Amino acid sequence: QVQLVESGGGLVQPGGSLRVSCATFGFSFSSYYMNWVRQAPGKGLEWVSVINTGGSTAYYADSVKGRFTISRDNAKNTLYLQLNNLRPEDTALYYCVKDLIGLDEYWGQGVQVTVSS
């Protein structure tokens, strides 16, 4: 049974940092590109970042480029997103997504990140 379990969210002040994690179960994690997608309150889904299977290549939305870093540990079947220099507009529910727009697409339940003073 496929499971994606996000953790590590919380409340952080503007300019602060946070790392969110996505522990995965029930599939061959190292075989899939993995994504982070977020949804701010009252807004639509926004793609944030993608990483290839080996972790050597990553792409980012312009809104987070230079501040966020995606990474993965295939030995631990875990995906990460390091969020630095956070802004209030980064407040959102962050989803870990396997095989986005692919045949095996699957979403986690999401983790809340709130940036506020």
Side-chain angles (χ1 to χ4, degrees), residues 23-98:
T24 72
F25 308 89
F27 67 98
S28 178
F29 176 72
S30 61
S31 297
Y32 289 91
Y33 281 50
M34 296 294 296
N35 291 260
W36 288 100
V37 176
R38 68 184 181 183
Q39 186 168 28
K43 296 191 175 181
L45 295 169
E46 179 188 17
W47 172 80
V48 173
S49 182
V50 61
I51 189 167
N52 69 343
T53 55
S56 61
T57 303
Y59 296 97
Y60 300 90
D62 288 343
S63 57
V64 307
K65 200 173 296 182
R67 300 187 299 120
F68 291 8
T69 303
I70 190 172
S71 62
R72 66 192 296 161
D73 186 334
N74 286 344
K76 295 182 178 179
N77 296 328
T78 302
L79 178 72
Y80 303 99
L81 186 68
Q82 177 69 40
L83 299 79
N84 295 332
N85 192 19
L86 282 159
R87 305 166 180 168
E89 55 264 38
D90 294 318
T91 295
L93 195 59
Y94 284 75
Y95 295 96
C96 166
V97 187
K98 159 185 170 283

